[in-house]
Amino acid sequence: MAVLDPDQIVRFEEDGPAVVLLDQRRLPAEVAYLTCRSVPELADAIRTLAVRGAPAIGIAAAYGIALAAARGDDLREAAAVLAASRPTAVNLAWAIDELLPEPTVERARELHADEVDRCRRMAAHAAELLRPGTRALTHCNAGGLATGGYGTAVGALRAAWERGLLERVLVDETRPLLQGSRLTAFELEQLGIPYAVIADSAAASLMAAGEVDCVVTGADRIAANGDTANKIGTYGLAVLANHHEIPLYVVAPTSTVDLRTPSGAEIPIEERSPDEITTRFAARNPAFDVTPASLISAIVTEHGAHRAPYVESLAALV
Ligand code: MRU
């Protein structure tokens, strides 16, 4: 049983019925599973990041719709509860829409397998962009944990490592919930890829010192013009990368591309509890930011590397 196998990260169990999640809040200290027997329980698990990452929450919601159908729940109500659990990643709404016409476990499993397959395909395309000896920097966790298997940005690094193109990875800690130092480091360790966790604020000076050849991240929602929402801090990295003339690649499946949202200005940004920052003082906690398309060197999907003007190269995806 490998902890990063797709069915370990999220699965449906008929004898329950239940959606079972690897509880990402407890990693890396503990490998523990969370059993959700109802849609409100699953929505709570998504809201509190027991399962997180744009494709993974979509997959979990797909199993949630199948769970609601198996229980005989009102599907519209289940869809509304799940869709409200997190606002920024479009994969959530996308997966729910995919399941509603055919709310079966088989369809949810197919969607899960398709997402993992998309990851493998985009990772191969992304690896082609990297030169031998690449020292990459990544932010948050866009690995198998975030996608239900294999990963987007981490998948690209994994494919590059397997092809002998990757020297090592700098992993942003990713404040405040530490998806980088808890989850990406855990995955890279499991995969045997050399890495070092850095404080988010160390990226600038390491770029200036010539220690970063490219930045590779995932995405939560890509607007029609290529503006991309991802974990808070990605925009700052993109500005830094631009200043140091380092390419920034966004690696994401087409389920993250939202052609109905014209630009980043229309992407809803989740503001989480200030308690995640400090319980002592007043705080603000936007969980995502938007990187303007002009700072993105390429958006890599399962169909290949898309370049500016994104309004044209992304439109070709439908
Ligand atoms: O708040 P999270 O942990 O769900 O944020 C996740 C990210 O920002 C990831 O980079 C993104 O979902 C891409 S996942 C392949």
Side-chain angles (χ1 to χ4, degrees):
M1 178 202 81
V3 70
L4 295 175
D5 284 354
D7 69 342
Q8 295 299 308
I9 297 165
V10 50
R11 68 177 174 274
F12 188 91
E13 287 185 358
E14 274 91 346
D15 57 348
V19 179
V20 178
L21 309 166
L22 173 60
D23 192 337
Q24 299 188 31
R25 298 168 301 193
R26 295 165 75 171
L27 286 172
E30 231 184 321
V31 173
Y33 295 88
L34 180 70
T35 300
C36 302
R37 293 198 166 79
S38 70
V39 163
E41 277 174 46
L42 179 60
D44 200 50
I46 295 172
R47 200 169 15 253
T48 58
L49 274 53
V51 59
R52 33 81 32 217
I57 61 178
I59 293 161
Y63 285 127
I65 296 293
L67 175 66
R71 288 169 46 100
D73 294 345
D74 182 314
L75 289 189
R76 291 280 151 199
E77 199 181 308
V81 169
L82 289 166
S85 59
R86 294 195 78 189
T88 301
V90 74
N91 304 63
L92 192 57
W94 171 84
I96 291 167
D97 284 351
E98 288 288 311
L99 256 288
L100 283 175
E102 191 189 334
T104 63
V105 183
E106 293 71 28
R107 177 69 192 104
R109 287 192 176 127
E110 181 185 54
L111 184 143
H112 186 175
D114 285 350
E115 285 291 64
V116 177
D117 179 59
R118 280 190 269 271
C119 283
R120 290 181 183 280
R121 286 157 56 203
M122 78 186 71
H125 292 302
E128 282 175 25
L129 301 174
L130 307 190
R131 295 201 196 101
T134 288
R135 297 154 310 157
L137 186 149
T138 192
H139 189 66
C140 195
N141 171 263
L145 292 167
T147 64
Y150 203 81
T152 55
V154 173
L157 298 172
R158 183 174 174 172
W161 173 250
E162 283 161 7
R163 288 162 175 71
L165 300 169
L166 185 68
E167 189 177 309
R168 54 118 179 99
V169 184
L170 291 177
V171 179
D172 268 1
E173 191 178 32
T174 316
R175 294 246 158 207
L177 295 180
L178 305 177
Q179 288 93 331
S181 58
R182 290 189 304 107
L183 306 177
T184 302
F186 176 77
E187 289 200 34
L188 294 174
E189 182 184 70
Q190 298 272 319
L191 295 167
I193 298 175
Y195 70 91
V197 174
I198 59 168
D200 298 332
S201 46
S205 61
L206 290 168
M207 285 186 190
E211 292 201 34
V212 180
D213 299 309
C214 65
V215 177
V216 187
T217 74
D220 284 79
R221 189 185 300 228
I222 300 172
N225 71 345
D227 290 351
T228 294
N230 193 49
K231 178 54 55 194
I232 191 80
T234 307
Y235 174 37
L237 276 181
V239 172
L240 289 172
N242 193 257
H243 178 76
H244 293 97
E245 299 183 355
I246 294 165
L248 177 133
Y249 301 121
V250 170
V251 187
T254 44
S255 51
T256 302
V257 178
D258 180 14
L259 296 180
R260 284 181 295 191
T261 296
S263 77
E266 292 82 32
I267 297 177
I269 298 296
E270 176 180 6
E271 180 115 10
R272 296 183 62 83
S273 167
D275 291 0
E276 292 177 354
I277 310 280
T278 170
T279 50
R280 167 67 179 81
F281 297 107
R284 288 281 308 277
N285 188 15
F288 298 93
D289 56 28
V290 173
T291 298
S294 58
L295 298 179
I296 301 172
S297 309
I299 295 174
V300 186
T301 71
E302 68 271 21
H303 297 297
H306 313 284
R307 304 273 184 179
Y310 294 107
V311 79
E312 287 167 24
S313 55
L314 297 179
L317 290 175
V318 288

